[in-house]
Amino acid sequence: MTKAFVVGHPIKHSRSPLIHGYWLKQYGLDGSYERIDVAPVNFGDFLKSFRSQGFAGGNVTIPHKEMAFLSVERRTAQAERVGAVNTLWIEDGVLWGDNTDVAGFMAHLDASLGTGWEQDVETILVLGAGGAARAVVAGLQNRPCKRIFVANRTLSKAEDLVRDLRRGSPVALETAAWEALPRVIPHAQLIVNTTSLGMAGQPPLVLDLSRAPRHAVVADIVYVPLETPLLAAAAAQGLRTVDGLGMLLHQAVPGFKRWFGVTPEVTPELRALILADIEAHR
Ligand SMILES: NC(=O)c1ccc[n+]([C@@H]2O[C@H](COP(=O)([O-])OP(=O)(O)OC[C@H]3O[C@@H](n4cnc5c(N)ncnc54)[C@H](OP(=O)(O)O)[C@@H]3O)[C@@H](O)[C@H]2O)c1
């Protein structure tokens, strides 16, 4: 039997066991995926011992993603760019780390908008400069747009992000002050919220979208609630919207493939299962 885990602290709210459990059943695989609560002080020991406990690898979540980044022996290019690792596996005896939020966000965007959506996109606006923003920008900067603006309440964090991700970037990365958003929005064909604003219990993200391009797409990576105030405002303006749940589902695909050997599908049934869980816990 192949075993995988999600490790974090706390970990009881993670929806990853539901996602991987669904796929294990769907593909009739002899495997398990379990939650493991490990305090930061014990994380180094956990990384050394999970192999001897029979695990093929697993997911890493808050607060261990940066420590995992520093501790793995090899990293994928995506993990390298983001500076955080959320997926671990062993290959030829070597501990590898990936950041699958990058592929997860892009796969969901492609699935929602159809491949080739970039043809109409020159300017992208990303709101936020935390860990998720790094993954989103790292994914978007490989697509053929012209420039990505990163706006954040704390401008210095946006400057750090742009400095780190600008190296080798095929597209121009620039910061935008939060107060400058009214001047940037009319040029942005894709607007992505990666801040925690709009999440249940947080204030809404209020943007004036009345001057956004008519064909602009507004994406939110917050998925509780599924329709955030930002997405509701975008829909009210007649703009296309992309919700945050697909990113969560798609980011799980590469790990499942590494541990269990099957590339799983993100199905409407899986989405409905996770949505029902979100509703049940609101
Ligand atoms: N869909 C998915 O699969 C997925 C994956 C990862 C994360 N997420 C969601 O993405 C969100 C961000 O995650 P993260 O890991 O990047 O968090 P993080 O590293 O803590 O970053 C939080 C970001 O939100 C901004 N922010 C927080 N409160 C704000 C406020 N009152 N006004 C303006 N900006 C504010 C912060 O700005 P400052 O720098 O100014 O503090 C920062 O840019 C969370 O809601 C998380 O659940 C979703």
Side-chain angles (χ1 to χ4, degrees), residues 62 65 101 127-133 152-154 157 178 194-197 199 202-203 221-223 244-245 247-249 251:
I62 292 167
K65 292 188 203 179
D101 278 343
L127 299 148
N152 194 47
R153 173 181 62 176
T154 311
K157 278 183 68 184
W178 201 260
T194 77
T195 74
S196 44
L197 290 174
M199 200 163 91
Q202 298 286 322
I221 71 162
V222 170
Y223 58 89
L245 182 55
M247 177 181 178
L248 176 76
L249 305 178
Q251 65 75 31

Side-chain angles (χ1 to χ4, degrees), residues 212-227:
R214 216 159 41 88
H215 298 293
V217 173
V218 178
D220 205 327
I221 71 162
V222 170
Y223 58 89
V224 182
L226 190 63
E227 187 182 57

Side-chain angles (χ1 to χ4, degrees), residues 101-129:
D101 278 343
V102 181
F105 176 72
M106 296 311 297
H108 178 47
L109 213 51
D110 291 343
S112 303
L113 301 177
T115 43
W117 58 265
E118 309 93 333
Q119 311 298 316
D120 307 322
V121 174
E122 281 196 353
T123 301
I124 297 175
L125 169 61
V126 174
L127 299 148

